[in-house]
Amino acid sequence: MGMGRGKAALRREYEALKRGGTEAHTRGRRLEGLVYELLESESLHPRRNLRPPGEEIDISFTDGHRHFLLEARKLTGTLGVFLYIGAEFSKAAIQALTWGKEINTVLVNEQDMSDALSPVHSFREVLDLKLRHAARFGECHIPYMALLESWRRR
C-alpha cells in the first residue's frame, strides 16, 4: 500500500466527507488530499498543481502511458477526470461534454469513488473501464458498477 494510510482509513475519511459538516472549501482540500493518497498508493504518480487565478486543477497523474488531470474544469489536449460528489450531472452537462466531440473527459461520481476505495476494486480499474467504455461507445458518465456488469455479460 506504499507509505500512505491504508485504503480502509481513506474509505472512512471519504464517508465522513460525504456526510458533510465541514465548510466546503475545507472539505474540497481534504478530498484532494485523500485522492492524492489513493493515486499514490496505486503508483499513479500524482502531483499537486499550483493554481493560477481562476483555475481549479487539482492533481495531475500518469499511468506511465497517459497523462491525466483530475480537475474541476475540462482542458483540451489532455484527458480530464472530473470528480463530483453530491449532485449528479445534468443530461445537458453530459451532452455538452460529448456532443459532436472527441471525448477527453470522464466523469467519476460519488459511487465510483466509493468503488475505487473498496477493498476489491481500485481507482486504476474504475478509470480504465470508464476510458475503454468512453472510447468504444462515446459515453463518459456511466457508473463503474453498471459498466462492470455489462462488460462481464459480453
Side-chain angles (χ1 to χ4, degrees):
M1 200 49 206
M3 299 293 291
R5 294 177 288 172
K7 206 172 197 181
L10 292 177
R11 193 166 53 250
R12 281 192 299 275
E13 182 175 352
Y14 179 64
E15 292 304 323
L17 286 174
K18 284 198 310 189
R19 285 192 293 275
T22 51
E23 188 260 325
H25 182 74
T26 305
R27 213 164 49 237
R29 287 280 181 237
R30 284 178 58 200
L31 180 64
E32 182 182 335
L34 184 155
V35 170
Y36 185 96
E37 281 189 68
L38 179 63
L39 295 172
E40 196 172 48
S41 76
E42 295 189 24
S43 303
L44 287 165
H45 312 290
R47 288 182 58 185
R48 281 194 173 88
N49 294 300
L50 296 173
R51 288 176 184 75
E55 287 290 323
E56 283 300 320
I57 299 166
D58 296 323
I59 298 170
S60 59
F61 63 97
T62 178
D63 64 2
H65 309 288
R66 295 167 295 195
H67 297 280
F68 298 90
L69 291 175
L70 195 142
E71 56 175 323
R73 282 194 209 130
K74 184 167 71 93
L75 299 181
T76 55
T78 192
L79 291 169
V81 179
F82 197 111
L83 172 64
Y84 57 107
I85 305 298
E88 289 295 311
F89 265 89
S90 69
K91 285 190 170 67
I94 290 165
Q95 200 169 40
L97 286 172
T98 58
W99 185 256
K101 297 186 187 92
E102 183 180 316
I103 289 179
N104 62 3
T105 303
V106 292
L107 305 180
V108 175
N109 71 12
E110 199 171 284
Q111 187 55 52
D112 294 330
M113 194 64 193
S114 292
D115 295 333
L117 285 162
S118 82
V120 293
H121 301 289
S122 67
F123 187 85
R124 234 179 228 278
E125 290 168 353
V126 169
L127 181 63
D128 186 56
L129 191 52
K130 282 181 163 280
L131 287 170
R132 279 195 290 158
H133 184 82
R136 190 164 172 193
F137 299 104
E139 297 172 322
C140 64
H141 62 286
I142 309 298
Y144 173 69
M145 279 305 187
L147 291 177
L148 203 55
E149 286 307 307
S150 70
W151 284 77
R152 281 177 177 158
R153 284 196 302 268
R154 288 185 184 148

